[in-house]
Tab-separated table of all heavy atoms in Angstrom:
chain	number	residue	atom	x	y	z
X	1172	MET	N	155.248	92.537	215.651
X	1172	MET	CA	155.031	93.728	216.454
X	1172	MET	C	153.609	93.686	217.023
X	1172	MET	O	152.637	93.506	216.307
X	1172	MET	CB	155.223	94.971	215.579
X	1172	MET	CG	155.000	96.241	216.332
X	1172	MET	SD	155.503	97.697	215.393
X	1172	MET	CE	153.980	98.104	214.603
X	1173	LYS	N	153.510	93.863	218.304
X	1173	LYS	CA	152.218	93.845	218.983
X	1173	LYS	C	151.609	95.242	218.971
X	1173	LYS	O	152.272	96.217	219.281
X	1173	LYS	CB	152.436	93.368	220.422
X	1173	LYS	CG	151.197	92.922	221.094
X	1173	LYS	CD	151.547	92.279	222.430
X	1173	LYS	CE	150.324	91.682	223.031
X	1173	LYS	NZ	150.606	91.070	224.314
X	1174	ARG	N	150.327	95.317	218.597
X	1174	ARG	CA	149.636	96.612	218.540
X	1174	ARG	C	148.831	96.844	219.805
X	1174	ARG	O	148.241	95.920	220.347
X	1174	ARG	CB	148.697	96.650	217.345
X	1174	ARG	CG	149.450	96.723	216.038
X	1174	ARG	CD	148.568	97.081	214.912
X	1174	ARG	NE	148.080	98.438	215.075
X	1174	ARG	CZ	147.187	98.988	214.288
X	1174	ARG	NH1	146.681	98.323	213.299
X	1174	ARG	NH2	146.784	100.218	214.491
X	1175	ASP	N	148.799	98.081	220.222
X	1175	ASP	CA	147.976	98.486	221.358
X	1175	ASP	C	146.514	98.436	220.921
X	1175	ASP	O	146.111	99.162	220.015
X	1175	ASP	CB	148.363	99.897	221.783
X	1175	ASP	CG	147.521	100.453	222.912
X	1175	ASP	OD1	146.579	99.770	223.371
X	1175	ASP	OD2	147.819	101.580	223.338
X	1176	PRO	N	145.680	97.577	221.544
X	1176	PRO	CA	144.289	97.455	221.097
X	1176	PRO	C	143.487	98.745	221.254
X	1176	PRO	O	142.584	99.015	220.463
X	1176	PRO	CB	143.714	96.337	221.964
X	1176	PRO	CG	144.653	96.180	223.103
X	1176	PRO	CD	145.989	96.680	222.645
X	1177	TYR	N	143.805	99.566	222.236
X	1177	TYR	CA	143.080	100.826	222.422
X	1177	TYR	C	143.414	101.825	221.320
X	1177	TYR	O	142.553	102.544	220.833
X	1177	TYR	CB	143.362	101.417	223.803
X	1177	TYR	CG	142.833	100.546	224.908
X	1177	TYR	CD1	143.689	99.758	225.664
X	1177	TYR	CD2	141.463	100.470	225.164
X	1177	TYR	CE1	143.196	98.934	226.659
X	1177	TYR	CE2	140.965	99.644	226.156
X	1177	TYR	CZ	141.833	98.879	226.903
X	1177	TYR	OH	141.348	98.052	227.874
X	1178	LYS	N	144.678	101.826	220.911
X	1178	LYS	CA	145.084	102.706	219.810
X	1178	LYS	C	144.432	102.228	218.514
X	1178	LYS	O	143.941	103.034	217.723
X	1178	LYS	CB	146.606	102.715	219.672
X	1178	LYS	CG	147.087	103.672	218.620
X	1178	LYS	CD	148.598	103.723	218.561
X	1178	LYS	CE	149.020	104.680	217.466
X	1178	LYS	NZ	150.453	104.736	217.287
X	1179	PHE	N	144.422	100.926	218.295
X	1179	PHE	CA	143.784	100.355	217.115
X	1179	PHE	C	142.304	100.732	217.068
X	1179	PHE	O	141.792	101.171	216.040
X	1179	PHE	CB	143.951	98.833	217.116
X	1179	PHE	CG	143.235	98.150	215.991
X	1179	PHE	CD1	143.760	98.162	214.714
X	1179	PHE	CD2	142.041	97.501	216.214
X	1179	PHE	CE1	143.096	97.536	213.667
X	1179	PHE	CE2	141.374	96.873	215.185
X	1179	PHE	CZ	141.901	96.893	213.899
X	1180	LEU	N	141.599	100.591	218.180
X	1180	LEU	CA	140.179	100.925	218.246
X	1180	LEU	C	139.953	102.414	217.974
X	1180	LEU	O	139.043	102.789	217.231
X	1180	LEU	CB	139.606	100.533	219.607
X	1180	LEU	CG	138.112	100.628	219.783
X	1180	LEU	CD1	137.379	99.736	218.787
X	1180	LEU	CD2	137.725	100.239	221.199
X	1181	ALA	N	140.798	103.259	218.540
X	1181	ALA	CA	140.682	104.709	218.306
X	1181	ALA	C	140.883	105.028	216.824
X	1181	ALA	O	140.147	105.847	216.256
X	1181	ALA	CB	141.700	105.455	219.156
X	1182	GLU	N	141.856	104.375	216.190
X	1182	GLU	CA	142.103	104.599	214.760
X	1182	GLU	C	140.908	104.154	213.926
X	1182	GLU	O	140.531	104.827	212.957
X	1182	GLU	CB	143.361	103.856	214.320
X	1182	GLU	CG	144.639	104.442	214.892
X	1182	GLU	CD	145.844	103.541	214.683
X	1182	GLU	OE1	145.707	102.422	214.126
X	1182	GLU	OE2	146.947	103.947	215.094
X	1183	GLU	N	140.308	103.030	214.271
X	1183	GLU	CA	139.149	102.539	213.532
X	1183	GLU	C	137.957	103.485	213.667
X	1183	GLU	O	137.248	103.737	212.695
X	1183	GLU	CB	138.767	101.130	213.978
X	1183	GLU	CG	139.704	100.065	213.471
X	1183	GLU	CD	139.822	100.064	211.955
X	1183	GLU	OE1	138.788	100.022	211.261
X	1183	GLU	OE2	140.953	100.090	211.461
X	1184	PHE	N	137.743	104.011	214.864
X	1184	PHE	CA	136.637	104.953	215.041
X	1184	PHE	C	136.894	106.254	214.289
X	1184	PHE	O	135.955	106.881	213.804
X	1184	PHE	CB	136.329	105.188	216.519
X	1184	PHE	CG	135.251	104.274	217.020
X	1184	PHE	CD1	135.574	103.034	217.551
X	1184	PHE	CD2	133.918	104.617	216.922
X	1184	PHE	CE1	134.585	102.164	217.976
X	1184	PHE	CE2	132.916	103.757	217.350
X	1184	PHE	CZ	133.252	102.528	217.874
X	1185	GLU	N	138.154	106.655	214.149
X	1185	GLU	CA	138.456	107.825	213.319
X	1185	GLU	C	138.054	107.544	211.873
X	1185	GLU	O	137.480	108.419	211.201
X	1185	GLU	CB	139.947	108.152	213.389
X	1185	GLU	CG	140.364	108.809	214.684
X	1185	GLU	CD	141.866	109.058	214.745
X	1185	GLU	OE1	142.527	109.115	213.678
X	1185	GLU	OE2	142.388	109.184	215.857
X	1186	GLN	N	138.359	106.341	211.384
X	1186	GLN	CA	137.973	105.970	210.022
X	1186	GLN	C	136.448	105.941	209.880
X	1186	GLN	O	135.897	106.400	208.876
X	1186	GLN	CB	138.559	104.602	209.648
X	1186	GLN	CG	140.054	104.586	209.510
X	1186	GLN	CD	140.523	105.437	208.349
X	1186	GLN	OE1	139.938	105.446	207.267
X	1186	GLN	NE2	141.601	106.167	208.567
X	1187	LEU	N	135.759	105.389	210.862
X	1187	LEU	CA	134.298	105.345	210.831
X	1187	LEU	C	133.717	106.756	210.799
X	1187	LEU	O	132.777	107.031	210.041
X	1187	LEU	CB	133.749	104.574	212.027
X	1187	LEU	CG	133.942	103.060	211.978
X	1187	LEU	CD1	133.723	102.449	213.349
X	1187	LEU	CD2	133.020	102.437	210.951
X	1188	GLU	N	134.271	107.662	211.609
X	1188	GLU	CA	133.782	109.041	211.609
X	1188	GLU	C	133.991	109.681	210.237
X	1188	GLU	O	133.117	110.409	209.750
X	1188	GLU	CB	134.488	109.855	212.694
X	1188	GLU	CG	134.014	109.491	214.084
X	1188	GLU	CD	134.793	110.173	215.185
X	1188	GLU	OE1	136.003	110.463	214.993
X	1188	GLU	OE2	134.201	110.395	216.247
X	1189	SER	N	135.104	109.398	209.597
X	1189	SER	CA	135.338	109.912	208.245
X	1189	SER	C	134.336	109.304	207.268
X	1189	SER	O	133.862	109.979	206.355
X	1189	SER	CB	136.764	109.592	207.782
X	1189	SER	OG	137.700	110.317	208.537
X	1190	GLY	N	134.004	108.034	207.465
X	1190	GLY	CA	133.043	107.365	206.610
X	1190	GLY	C	131.653	107.967	206.685
X	1190	GLY	O	130.911	107.964	205.703
X	1191	VAL	N	131.294	108.493	207.834
X	1191	VAL	CA	129.993	109.160	207.984
X	1191	VAL	C	129.974	110.445	207.163
X	1191	VAL	O	128.987	110.764	206.506
X	1191	VAL	CB	129.699	109.479	209.471
X	1191	VAL	CG1	128.495	110.391	209.617
X	1191	VAL	CG2	129.498	108.195	210.265
X	1192	LEU	N	131.081	111.159	207.169
X	1192	LEU	CA	131.136	112.491	206.561
X	1192	LEU	C	131.437	112.496	205.064
X	1192	LEU	O	131.044	113.426	204.364
X	1192	LEU	CB	132.191	113.343	207.280
X	1192	LEU	CG	131.953	113.575	208.773
X	1192	LEU	CD1	133.156	114.262	209.391
X	1192	LEU	CD2	130.679	114.358	208.996
X	1193	LYS	N	132.139	111.475	204.576
X	1193	LYS	CA	132.605	111.474	203.188
X	1193	LYS	C	132.023	110.297	202.418
X	1193	LYS	O	132.351	109.141	202.682
X	1193	LYS	CB	134.131	111.394	203.153
X	1193	LYS	CG	134.818	112.534	203.857
X	1193	LYS	CD	136.310	112.321	203.907
X	1193	LYS	CE	136.971	113.391	204.758
X	1193	LYS	NZ	138.371	113.058	205.023
X	1194	ALA	N	131.189	110.587	201.439
X	1194	ALA	CA	130.526	109.537	200.658
X	1194	ALA	C	131.509	108.651	199.896
X	1194	ALA	O	131.216	107.490	199.638
X	1194	ALA	CB	129.522	110.156	199.687
X	1195	LYS	N	132.669	109.149	199.561
X	1195	LYS	CA	133.632	108.348	198.813
X	1195	LYS	C	134.602	107.590	199.717
X	1195	LYS	O	135.471	106.863	199.226
X	1195	LYS	CB	134.387	109.223	197.830
X	1195	LYS	CG	133.473	109.775	196.747
X	1195	LYS	CD	134.253	110.282	195.573
X	1195	LYS	CE	133.316	110.896	194.557
X	1195	LYS	NZ	132.893	109.984	193.544
X	1196	HIS	N	134.469	107.732	201.029
X	1196	HIS	CA	135.339	107.013	201.967
X	1196	HIS	C	135.010	105.525	201.915
X	1196	HIS	O	133.852	105.139	201.760
X	1196	HIS	CB	135.128	107.560	203.387
X	1196	HIS	CG	136.149	107.085	204.355
X	1196	HIS	ND1	136.096	105.853	204.942
X	1196	HIS	CD2	137.257	107.691	204.849
X	1196	HIS	CE1	137.128	105.705	205.751
X	1196	HIS	NE2	137.847	106.824	205.712
X	1197	GLU	N	136.019	104.684	202.041
X	1197	GLU	CA	135.804	103.237	201.925
X	1197	GLU	C	134.922	102.655	203.037
X	1197	GLU	O	134.397	101.557	202.890
X	1197	GLU	CB	137.137	102.496	201.860
X	1197	GLU	CG	138.022	102.714	203.058
X	1197	GLU	CD	139.412	102.122	202.878
X	1197	GLU	OE1	139.741	101.679	201.776
X	1197	GLU	OE2	140.157	102.126	203.862
X	1198	TYR	N	134.737	103.362	204.131
X	1198	TYR	CA	133.869	102.884	205.210
X	1198	TYR	C	132.424	103.376	205.058
X	1198	TYR	O	131.573	103.000	205.838
X	1198	TYR	CB	134.396	103.357	206.564
X	1198	TYR	CG	135.578	102.582	207.111
X	1198	TYR	CD1	136.532	102.017	206.289
X	1198	TYR	CD2	135.739	102.445	208.480
X	1198	TYR	CE1	137.608	101.337	206.805
X	1198	TYR	CE2	136.814	101.758	209.006
X	1198	TYR	CZ	137.748	101.212	208.165
X	1198	TYR	OH	138.815	100.531	208.694
X	1199	HIS	N	132.144	104.245	204.093
X	1199	HIS	CA	130.816	104.849	203.967
X	1199	HIS	C	129.731	103.821	203.650
X	1199	HIS	O	128.648	103.846	204.229
X	1199	HIS	CB	130.825	105.946	202.905
X	1199	HIS	CG	129.526	106.672	202.780
X	1199	HIS	ND1	129.069	107.539	203.754
X	1199	HIS	CD2	128.581	106.655	201.817
X	1199	HIS	CE1	127.898	108.027	203.381
X	1199	HIS	NE2	127.572	107.500	202.208
X	1200	SER	N	130.006	102.921	202.742
X	1200	SER	CA	129.028	101.869	202.437
X	1200	SER	C	129.724	100.516	202.553
X	1200	SER	O	130.904	100.383	202.240
X	1200	SER	CB	128.440	102.052	201.038
X	1200	SER	OG	129.437	101.916	200.061
X	1201	PHE	N	128.979	99.538	203.026
X	1201	PHE	CA	129.542	98.206	203.205
X	1201	PHE	C	128.426	97.177	203.130
X	1201	PHE	O	127.249	97.515	203.074
X	1201	PHE	CB	130.310	98.094	204.525
X	1201	PHE	CG	129.534	98.482	205.757
X	1201	PHE	CD1	128.889	97.517	206.518
X	1201	PHE	CD2	129.447	99.806	206.149
X	1201	PHE	CE1	128.185	97.866	207.650
X	1201	PHE	CE2	128.745	100.159	207.294
X	1201	PHE	CZ	128.111	99.189	208.038
X	1202	THR	N	128.790	95.923	203.090
X	1202	THR	CA	127.812	94.844	203.005
X	1202	THR	C	127.625	94.231	204.377
X	1202	THR	O	128.591	93.874	205.051
X	1202	THR	CB	128.285	93.762	202.014
X	1202	THR	OG1	128.485	94.375	200.742
X	1202	THR	CG2	127.265	92.652	201.883
X	1203	LEU	N	126.373	94.129	204.793
X	1203	LEU	CA	126.005	93.496	206.054
X	1203	LEU	C	125.291	92.195	205.719
X	1203	LEU	O	124.373	92.177	204.908
X	1203	LEU	CB	125.069	94.410	206.861
X	1203	LEU	CG	124.542	93.821	208.165
X	1203	LEU	CD1	125.672	93.702	209.175
X	1203	LEU	CD2	123.420	94.669	208.703
X	1204	SER	N	125.721	91.116	206.332
X	1204	SER	CA	125.098	89.811	206.092
X	1204	SER	C	124.520	89.258	207.377
X	1204	SER	O	125.112	89.407	208.454
X	1204	SER	CB	126.126	88.826	205.537
X	1204	SER	OG	126.627	89.267	204.305
X	1205	THR	N	123.369	88.636	207.255
X	1205	THR	CA	122.702	87.974	208.375
X	1205	THR	C	122.195	86.616	207.898
X	1205	THR	O	122.243	86.312	206.701
X	1205	THR	CB	121.519	88.816	208.898
X	1205	THR	OG1	120.637	89.079	207.807
X	1205	THR	CG2	121.988	90.133	209.500
X	1206	ILE	N	121.707	85.824	208.823
X	1206	ILE	CA	121.128	84.523	208.496
X	1206	ILE	C	119.639	84.572	208.827
X	1206	ILE	O	119.249	84.978	209.920
X	1206	ILE	CB	121.792	83.392	209.311
X	1206	ILE	CG1	123.306	83.359	209.086
X	1206	ILE	CG2	121.143	82.046	209.012
X	1206	ILE	CD1	123.724	82.904	207.719
X	1207	LYS	N	118.806	84.155	207.872
X	1207	LYS	CA	117.364	84.084	208.085
X	1207	LYS	C	116.888	82.729	207.565
X	1207	LYS	O	117.129	82.404	206.398
X	1207	LYS	CB	116.646	85.228	207.353
X	1207	LYS	CG	115.157	85.255	207.591
X	1207	LYS	CD	114.524	86.440	206.894
X	1207	LYS	CE	113.023	86.451	207.152
X	1207	LYS	NZ	112.399	87.602	206.481
X	1208	GLU	N	116.258	81.992	208.429
X	1208	GLU	CA	115.772	80.659	208.073
X	1208	GLU	C	116.882	79.814	207.452
X	1208	GLU	O	116.718	79.174	206.419
X	1208	GLU	CB	114.551	80.764	207.164
X	1208	GLU	CG	113.381	81.444	207.839
X	1208	GLU	CD	112.191	81.663	206.914
X	1208	GLU	OE1	112.217	81.190	205.759
X	1208	GLU	OE2	111.237	82.324	207.366
X	1209	LYS	N	118.044	79.866	208.079
X	1209	LYS	CA	119.228	79.091	207.685
X	1209	LYS	C	119.800	79.465	206.320
X	1209	LYS	O	120.550	78.714	205.723
X	1209	LYS	CB	118.942	77.593	207.742
X	1209	LYS	CG	118.589	77.107	209.139
X	1209	LYS	CD	118.419	75.624	209.166
X	1209	LYS	CE	118.054	75.177	210.581
X	1209	LYS	NZ	117.921	73.732	210.663
X	1210	LYS	N	119.439	80.653	205.814
X	1210	LYS	CA	119.963	81.127	204.538
X	1210	LYS	C	120.582	82.514	204.740
X	1210	LYS	O	120.004	83.357	205.429
X	1210	LYS	CB	118.853	81.210	203.489
X	1210	LYS	CG	118.288	79.864	203.120
X	1210	LYS	CD	117.209	80.008	202.070
X	1210	LYS	CE	116.625	78.649	201.757
X	1210	LYS	NZ	115.499	78.749	200.823
X	1211	PRO	N	121.724	82.737	204.108
X	1211	PRO	CA	122.344	84.062	204.239
X	1211	PRO	C	121.594	85.124	203.434
X	1211	PRO	O	121.060	84.845	202.365
X	1211	PRO	CB	123.750	83.849	203.675
X	1211	PRO	CG	123.619	82.689	202.752
X	1211	PRO	CD	122.519	81.823	203.307
X	1212	GLU	N	121.533	86.303	204.001
X	1212	GLU	CA	120.987	87.474	203.318
X	1212	GLU	C	122.007	88.590	203.450
X	1212	GLU	O	122.506	88.845	204.542
X	1212	GLU	CB	119.667	87.920	203.948
X	1212	GLU	CG	118.533	86.949	203.762
X	1212	GLU	CD	117.214	87.486	204.308
X	1212	GLU	OE1	117.231	88.451	205.089
X	1212	GLU	OE2	116.176	86.923	203.935
X	1213	SER	N	122.322	89.242	202.356
X	1213	SER	CA	123.287	90.341	202.369
X	1213	SER	C	122.650	91.576	201.776
X	1213	SER	O	121.812	91.483	200.881
X	1213	SER	CB	124.525	89.963	201.552
X	1213	SER	OG	125.176	88.857	202.122
X	1214	ARG	N	123.039	92.708	202.288
X	1214	ARG	CA	122.535	93.973	201.780
X	1214	ARG	C	123.616	95.033	201.936
X	1214	ARG	O	124.456	94.954	202.831
X	1214	ARG	CB	121.268	94.397	202.516
X	1214	ARG	CG	121.501	94.729	203.968
X	1214	ARG	CD	120.320	94.589	204.878
X	1214	ARG	NE	119.663	93.352	205.038
X	1214	ARG	CZ	120.095	92.279	205.707
X	1214	ARG	NH1	121.270	92.301	206.278
X	1214	ARG	NH2	119.381	91.201	205.826
X	1215	THR	N	123.588	95.999	201.053
X	1215	THR	CA	124.495	97.140	201.165
X	1215	THR	C	123.874	98.142	202.121
X	1215	THR	O	122.683	98.433	202.036
X	1215	THR	CB	124.720	97.796	199.795
X	1215	THR	OG1	125.294	96.817	198.927
X	1215	THR	CG2	125.645	98.995	199.892
X	1216	VAL	N	124.673	98.640	203.047
X	1216	VAL	CA	124.198	99.622	204.014
X	1216	VAL	C	125.076	100.863	203.937
X	1216	VAL	O	126.210	100.815	203.470
X	1216	VAL	CB	124.171	99.054	205.456
X	1216	VAL	CG1	123.217	97.890	205.565
X	1216	VAL	CG2	125.543	98.630	205.916
X	1217	ILE	N	124.526	101.979	204.381
X	1217	ILE	CA	125.225	103.264	204.392
X	1217	ILE	C	125.435	103.696	205.837
X	1217	ILE	O	124.491	103.748	206.619
X	1217	ILE	CB	124.413	104.346	203.641
X	1217	ILE	CG1	124.076	103.887	202.220
X	1217	ILE	CG2	125.158	105.676	203.641
X	1217	ILE	CD1	125.264	103.614	201.346
X	1218	LEU	N	126.682	103.976	206.168
X	1218	LEU	CA	127.036	104.415	207.513
X	1218	LEU	C	126.468	105.806	207.759
X	1218	LEU	O	126.670	106.719	206.942
X	1218	LEU	CB	128.558	104.430	207.646
X	1218	LEU	CG	129.149	104.727	208.997
X	1218	LEU	CD1	128.703	103.705	210.034
X	1218	LEU	CD2	130.673	104.730	208.898
X	1219	ARG	N	125.739	105.997	208.850
X	1219	ARG	CA	125.087	107.278	209.129
X	1219	ARG	C	125.574	107.971	210.389
X	1219	ARG	O	125.563	109.192	210.481
X	1219	ARG	CB	123.569	107.088	209.225
X	1219	ARG	CG	122.940	106.690	207.932
X	1219	ARG	CD	123.118	107.797	206.921
X	1219	ARG	NE	122.457	107.460	205.670
X	1219	ARG	CZ	122.795	107.946	204.505
X	1219	ARG	NH1	123.776	108.811	204.410
X	1219	ARG	NH2	122.166	107.587	203.429
X	1220	ASN	N	125.980	107.214	211.409
X	1220	ASN	CA	126.393	107.846	212.662
X	1220	ASN	C	127.357	106.932	213.408
X	1220	ASN	O	127.283	105.713	213.289
X	1220	ASN	CB	125.169	108.143	213.533
X	1220	ASN	CG	125.502	109.025	214.711
X	1220	ASN	OD1	126.341	109.920	214.610
X	1220	ASN	ND2	124.866	108.786	215.837
X	1221	VAL	N	128.238	107.540	214.181
X	1221	VAL	CA	129.205	106.822	215.004
X	1221	VAL	C	129.211	107.489	216.372
X	1221	VAL	O	129.215	108.712	216.473
X	1221	VAL	CB	130.619	106.886	214.390
X	1221	VAL	CG1	131.644	106.267	215.307
X	1221	VAL	CG2	130.644	106.214	213.036
X	1222	ASN	N	129.209	106.667	217.430
X	1222	ASN	CA	129.298	107.199	218.782
X	1222	ASN	C	130.432	106.473	219.498
X	1222	ASN	O	130.291	105.314	219.887
X	1222	ASN	CB	127.976	107.005	219.526
X	1222	ASN	CG	127.966	107.663	220.880
X	1222	ASN	OD1	128.986	107.717	221.564
X	1222	ASN	ND2	126.817	108.153	221.281
X	1223	LYS	N	131.573	107.159	219.639
X	1223	LYS	CA	132.748	106.551	220.273
X	1223	LYS	C	132.522	106.259	221.750
X	1223	LYS	O	133.080	105.311	222.276
X	1223	LYS	CB	133.960	107.467	220.160
X	1223	LYS	CG	134.555	107.535	218.789
X	1223	LYS	CD	135.914	108.195	218.790
X	1223	LYS	CE	135.832	109.671	218.979
X	1223	LYS	NZ	137.093	110.366	218.730
X	1224	LYS	N	131.711	107.065	222.403
X	1224	LYS	CA	131.522	106.907	223.852
X	1224	LYS	C	130.858	105.588	224.210
X	1224	LYS	O	131.167	104.998	225.243
X	1224	LYS	CB	130.722	108.072	224.419
X	1224	LYS	CG	131.483	109.375	224.379
X	1224	LYS	CD	130.671	110.510	224.960
X	1224	LYS	CE	131.468	111.801	224.854
X	1224	LYS	NZ	130.734	112.946	225.347
X	1225	ILE	N	129.936	105.147	223.375
X	1225	ILE	CA	129.247	103.880	223.669
X	1225	ILE	C	129.563	102.800	222.624
X	1225	ILE	O	128.922	101.760	222.583
X	1225	ILE	CB	127.728	104.070	223.814
X	1225	ILE	CG1	127.109	104.606	222.516
X	1225	ILE	CG2	127.393	104.969	224.989
X	1225	ILE	CD1	125.587	104.635	222.525
X	1226	TYR	N	130.570	103.059	221.803
X	1226	TYR	CA	131.024	102.100	220.780
X	1226	TYR	C	129.872	101.591	219.926
X	1226	TYR	O	129.616	100.392	219.831
X	1226	TYR	CB	131.764	100.923	221.425
X	1226	TYR	CG	133.002	101.339	222.168
X	1226	TYR	CD1	133.049	101.311	223.547
X	1226	TYR	CD2	134.116	101.793	221.475
X	1226	TYR	CE1	134.185	101.707	224.235
X	1226	TYR	CE2	135.256	102.194	222.147
X	1226	TYR	CZ	135.279	102.143	223.521
X	1226	TYR	OH	136.399	102.546	224.186
X	1227	SER	N	129.170	102.522	219.281
X	1227	SER	CA	128.059	102.116	218.424
X	1227	SER	C	128.163	102.800	217.070
X	1227	SER	O	128.763	103.863	216.933
X	1227	SER	CB	126.714	102.437	219.079
X	1227	SER	OG	126.463	103.815	219.046
X	1228	ILE	N	127.582	102.133	216.079
X	1228	ILE	CA	127.450	102.724	214.753
X	1228	ILE	C	125.994	102.591	214.335
X	1228	ILE	O	125.288	101.682	214.774
X	1228	ILE	CB	128.381	102.072	213.709
X	1228	ILE	CG1	128.020	100.602	213.480
X	1228	ILE	CG2	129.835	102.214	214.115
X	1228	ILE	CD1	128.779	99.960	212.346
X	1229	SER	N	125.538	103.517	213.502
X	1229	SER	CA	124.192	103.466	212.945
X	1229	SER	C	124.317	103.497	211.428
X	1229	SER	O	125.168	104.187	210.886
X	1229	SER	CB	123.366	104.675	213.394
X	1229	SER	OG	123.261	104.699	214.792
X	1230	PHE	N	123.460	102.743	210.777
X	1230	PHE	CA	123.464	102.693	209.320
X	1230	PHE	C	122.061	102.442	208.832
X	1230	PHE	O	121.183	102.092	209.610
X	1230	PHE	CB	124.427	101.615	208.806
X	1230	PHE	CG	124.263	100.285	209.468
X	1230	PHE	CD1	123.321	99.382	209.020
X	1230	PHE	CD2	125.060	99.939	210.552
X	1230	PHE	CE1	123.164	98.150	209.629
X	1230	PHE	CE2	124.907	98.706	211.165
X	1230	PHE	CZ	123.961	97.806	210.696
X	1231	ASN	N	121.851	102.646	207.536
X	1231	ASN	CA	120.526	102.345	206.980
X	1231	ASN	C	120.668	101.704	205.615
X	1231	ASN	O	121.739	101.700	205.008
X	1231	ASN	CB	119.630	103.582	206.930
X	1231	ASN	CG	120.075	104.608	205.931
X	1231	ASN	OD1	121.240	104.808	205.724
X	1231	ASN	ND2	119.123	105.270	205.308
X	1232	THR	N	119.570	101.127	205.165
X	1232	THR	CA	119.480	100.494	203.859
X	1232	THR	C	118.056	100.657	203.372
X	1232	THR	O	117.218	101.234	204.069
X	1232	THR	CB	119.908	99.010	203.931
X	1232	THR	OG1	120.036	98.486	202.623
X	1232	THR	CG2	118.932	98.185	204.738
X	1233	ASP	N	117.756	100.178	202.197
X	1233	ASP	CA	116.378	100.198	201.727
X	1233	ASP	C	115.967	98.794	201.295
X	1233	ASP	O	116.748	97.852	201.406
X	1233	ASP	CB	116.161	101.247	200.625
X	1233	ASP	CG	116.995	100.988	199.397
X	1233	ASP	OD1	117.464	99.856	199.194
X	1233	ASP	OD2	117.191	101.931	198.617
X	1234	LYS	N	114.766	98.649	200.799
X	1234	LYS	CA	114.238	97.323	200.474
X	1234	LYS	C	114.885	96.662	199.270
X	1234	LYS	O	114.773	95.467	199.109
X	1234	LYS	CB	112.728	97.410	200.243
X	1234	LYS	CG	111.945	97.145	201.469
X	1234	LYS	CD	110.505	97.034	201.112
X	1234	LYS	CE	109.888	95.993	202.000
X	1234	LYS	NZ	108.479	95.900	201.869
X	1235	ARG	N	115.535	97.446	198.429
X	1235	ARG	CA	116.109	96.854	197.226
X	1235	ARG	C	117.097	95.808	197.617
X	1235	ARG	O	117.424	94.894	197.035
X	1235	ARG	CB	116.775	97.896	196.362
X	1235	ARG	CG	115.789	98.835	195.753
X	1235	ARG	CD	116.466	99.889	194.944
X	1235	ARG	NE	116.935	100.914	195.885
X	1235	ARG	CZ	117.768	101.878	195.602
X	1235	ARG	NH1	118.265	101.983	194.407
X	1235	ARG	NH2	118.115	102.778	196.483
């Protein structure tokens, strides 16, 4: 079954919006990984804001 990509994206943004509002939502915290000097670095981040109009999310982390 082929899914409508626009419907899928809308559903995901609904989940992201719930993740901003509910600390126990599975989207509220997640692991972000990047590469620095050819080595992976991962950190837990907390979802803080979602903007559907410009398809952006904001999150934060700390030094730990």
